[in-house]
Amino acid sequence: MFPAKVRLLHRILRLRRTCCSPSFASSSRLVLGIETSCDETGAAVLVETGEILGESLHSQKEVHLRSGGIIPPVAQQLHRDHIERVVQEALERSSVDPSQLSAVATTVKPGLALSLGVGLKFSQRFVRQHNKPFIPIHHMEAHALTVRMLQPLAFPFLVLLVSGGHALLAVARGVNDFLLLGHHLDEAPGDTLDKVARRLSLIKHPQCSTLSGGQAIELLAMDGDRKRFSFKTPMGGIHDCCFSFSGLRNQVNMAIVKEEAEEGIEQGTLLSCVNDMAAATQHAVATHLAKRTHRAILFCKANGLLPSSGATLVVSGGVASNQYIRKALAIITETTGVHLLCPPGKLCTDNGVMIAWNGVERLREGKGILPPDVEVRYEPKAPLGVDLTAEVKAAAIKLPPIKLTIIN
Ligand code: KG4
Ligand code: ZN
């Protein structure tokens, strides 16, 4: 079929859905979600049933990959360049006019200040222009709740959120009711994987030139022998649920330096053992995440924080798309009798849909909905929920030994 005809057909189908779909009945509320907290400009329109009417996403990944990491003013400029188009596209693909929206939900915390500022400024202008309620969104709350858009899942449940900016374990007790059991103390796991990938110059690897650090490490690790290098799991002597990855990165860096000397190559050249290095790094990250999660499950069981039968662990955030890490966590959940849920990879990484869904959840409960003219500030640092990390540490739960034998 000719492209013009295909476009026309899509348009007719969209119009038919607009007129006829029961989920789009006039009583169904529609939420526009906007995400700009890091390096993705995302927007989506959702019906309160969870149906995605249309979305658009612009990723800055390739630009930051080439410059060796996110440079905040560059990210800010890219958000400015794309936000108008991305929001417009999401609305057009939904065949929704701004007047039909019930609210606009936007990430305002935590994240990069310059990136958050673009989404917030755009959204505040938009809600004032169209006289719509505004719902400020906590990015990690949105990651935690996404799974409820895909299937029924009652509160409370345990969440492990792992991304380029965060690692945290929390009990989700309600839409805006979280108990924080552990968080990252230095760098986040995605950041560590990105930095190791950069140190290994994986961008020069023919299979990895367009992949994020975490994706590149997962791909190369599939053909690697993780036992060739043995990295110590972080924080073995500290019996809490916090995470530390900077020491692990140091261990990996030292091993890379040693291998470069042995192979007689300069930094910036691909090592011949790059697959093994990737596999050993991924295994150490997976083991650290699995052990802290295991302790969190035991803490929840000891304190009655989760249902005694049918407890659920939700894993989300960019790093949660890693299959090896999912398998490590599956060993823990099987051993402890907990149900494991992970949204599909596309919904684990940052996007507008998860923000719109968080808006739907808040709209349904009437929580945190502001009139259009209220001045809202962004918050680059914003902890999630009530901090129980001291109680978790004081409980000092020792883990029974579990063998993490993960087959790729
Ligand atoms: O959630 P996200 O899209 O953005 C942040 O809020 O940080 O996560 C991006 C992070 C990056 O550090 C990237 O390397 C990592 O998620 N990541 C992965 C994988 N895909 C993305 N890490 C491990 N394995 C993957 N397959
Ligand atoms: Zn994220």
Side-chain angles (χ1 to χ4, degrees):
M1 217 184 291
F2 297 113
K5 268 197 174 169
V6 173
R7 274 201 302 276
L8 182 65
L9 188 65
H10 280 179
R11 198 164 157 63
I12 292 167
L13 283 174
R14 271 206 309 270
L15 284 172
R16 272 182 40 193
R17 188 173 55 190
T18 311
C19 308
C20 317
S21 165
S23 60
F24 202 121
S26 56
S27 56
S28 283
R29 292 176 294 183
L30 306 177
V31 174
L32 167 67
I34 299 177
E35 158 65 30
T36 65
S37 69
C38 189
D39 57 353
E40 317 274 354
T41 317
V45 180
L46 241 68
V47 190
E48 65 179 318
T49 52
E51 186 191 348
I52 303 165
L53 289 183
E55 59 178 306
S56 177
L57 188 67
H58 175 264
S59 175
Q60 309 176 353
K61 213 153 266 153
E62 276 208 52
V63 175
H64 300 312
L65 213 54
R66 311 244 150 245
S67 60
I70 299 177
I71 301 165
V74 174
Q76 179 188 41
Q77 190 53 48
L78 289 168
H79 283 304
R80 280 186 183 143
D81 293 346
H82 293 278
I83 190 156
E84 185 105 39
R85 173 185 64 79
V86 163
V87 171
Q88 202 50 42
E89 242 168 46
L91 288 165
E92 273 172 24
R93 288 174 183 165
S94 319
S95 301
V96 162
D97 184 79
S99 63
Q100 292 172 278
L101 295 169
S102 294
V104 177
T106 301
T107 308
V108 302
K109 61 188 173 183
L112 298 173
L114 294 180
S115 295
L116 288 168
V118 178
L120 179 57
K121 197 170 163 201
F122 177 92
S123 303
Q124 294 228 282
R125 203 166 1 99
F126 187 95
V127 292
R128 281 168 198 165
Q129 185 187 344
H130 299 287
N131 193 27
K132 296 291 168 187
F134 182 55
I135 311 178
I137 298 293
H138 190 298
H139 184 81
M140 304 315 284
E141 181 181 303
H143 271 307
L145 299 179
T146 309
V147 71
R148 282 166 47 88
M149 183 185 88
L150 306 167
Q151 61 200 97
L153 172 65
F155 295 113
F157 54 86
L158 181 63
V159 284
L160 168 68
L161 303 179
V162 275
S163 69
H166 293 271
L168 68 81
L169 277 158
V171 180
R173 299 197 301 178
V175 170
N176 66 340
D177 180 5
F178 288 80
L179 301 175
L180 186 65
L181 306 182
H183 53 79
H184 71 287
L185 300 172
D186 36 55
E187 61 192 40
D191 192 19
T192 305
L193 293 171
D194 291 341
K195 284 175 174 152
V196 168
R198 225 175 293 142
R199 179 63 184 81
L200 286 168
S201 304
L202 297 189
I203 198 166
K204 293 185 181 164
H205 194 288
Q207 285 176 282
C208 303
S209 61
T210 60
L211 301 184
S212 69
Q215 286 170 324
I217 287 191
E218 178 171 24
L219 183 75
L220 295 181
M222 283 176 191
D223 297 318
D225 172 12
R226 69 156 181 91
K227 292 194 175 144
R228 166 112 180 250
F229 302 99
S230 163
F231 301 128
K232 207 163 162 264
T233 309
M235 300 178 81
I238 301 168
H239 302 119
D240 66 7
C241 291
C242 285
F243 303 91
S244 168
F245 289 95
S246 61
L248 170 63
R249 184 157 61 83
N250 210 23
Q251 291 181 62
V252 179
N253 277 347
M254 287 191 318
I256 295 172
V257 169
K258 189 162 165 274
E259 286 301 312
E260 283 171 346
E262 277 175 21
E263 288 191 23
I265 58 169
E266 297 276 309
Q267 177 171 343
T269 313
L270 282 172
L271 280 170
S272 67
C273 61
V274 74
N275 294 76
D276 303 335
M277 195 68 79
T281 305
Q282 178 177 256
H283 182 75
V285 169
T287 306
H288 186 35
L289 294 175
K291 289 196 167 185
R292 303 331 257 189
T293 306
H294 190 180
R295 181 169 291 111
I297 291 172
L298 298 183
F299 181 83
C300 288
K301 287 193 172 198
N303 293 280
L305 297 177
L306 293 174
S308 47
S309 77
T312 298
L313 167 69
V314 170
V315 186
S316 194
V319 178
S321 41
N322 184 294
Q323 296 301 323
Y324 189 90
I325 290 172
R326 287 188 184 198
K327 284 179 192 166
L329 293 165
I331 293 174
I332 301 300
T333 51
E334 273 160 32
T335 313
T336 50
V338 168
H339 189 50
L340 175 63
L341 285 180
C342 308
K346 188 172 162 274
L347 287 174
C348 281
T349 46
D350 293 349
N351 61 80
V353 173
M354 69 184 205
I355 306 305
W357 174 252
N358 200 159
V360 166
E361 292 251 36
R362 282 182 166 267
L363 196 63
R364 279 180 182 166
E365 298 209 353
K367 285 183 176 149
I369 300 149
L370 307 176
D373 54 343
V374 172
E375 206 53 54
V376 176
R377 284 167 192 265
Y378 59 78
E379 295 171 52
K381 286 200 189 320
L384 182 73
V386 178
D387 190 350
L388 286 194
T389 53
E391 285 81 348
V392 175
K393 191 168 189 172
I397 296 172
K398 296 234 166 62
L399 297 178
I402 289 186
K403 217 168 161 40
L404 289 176
T405 309
I406 304 148
I407 297 143
N408 259 323

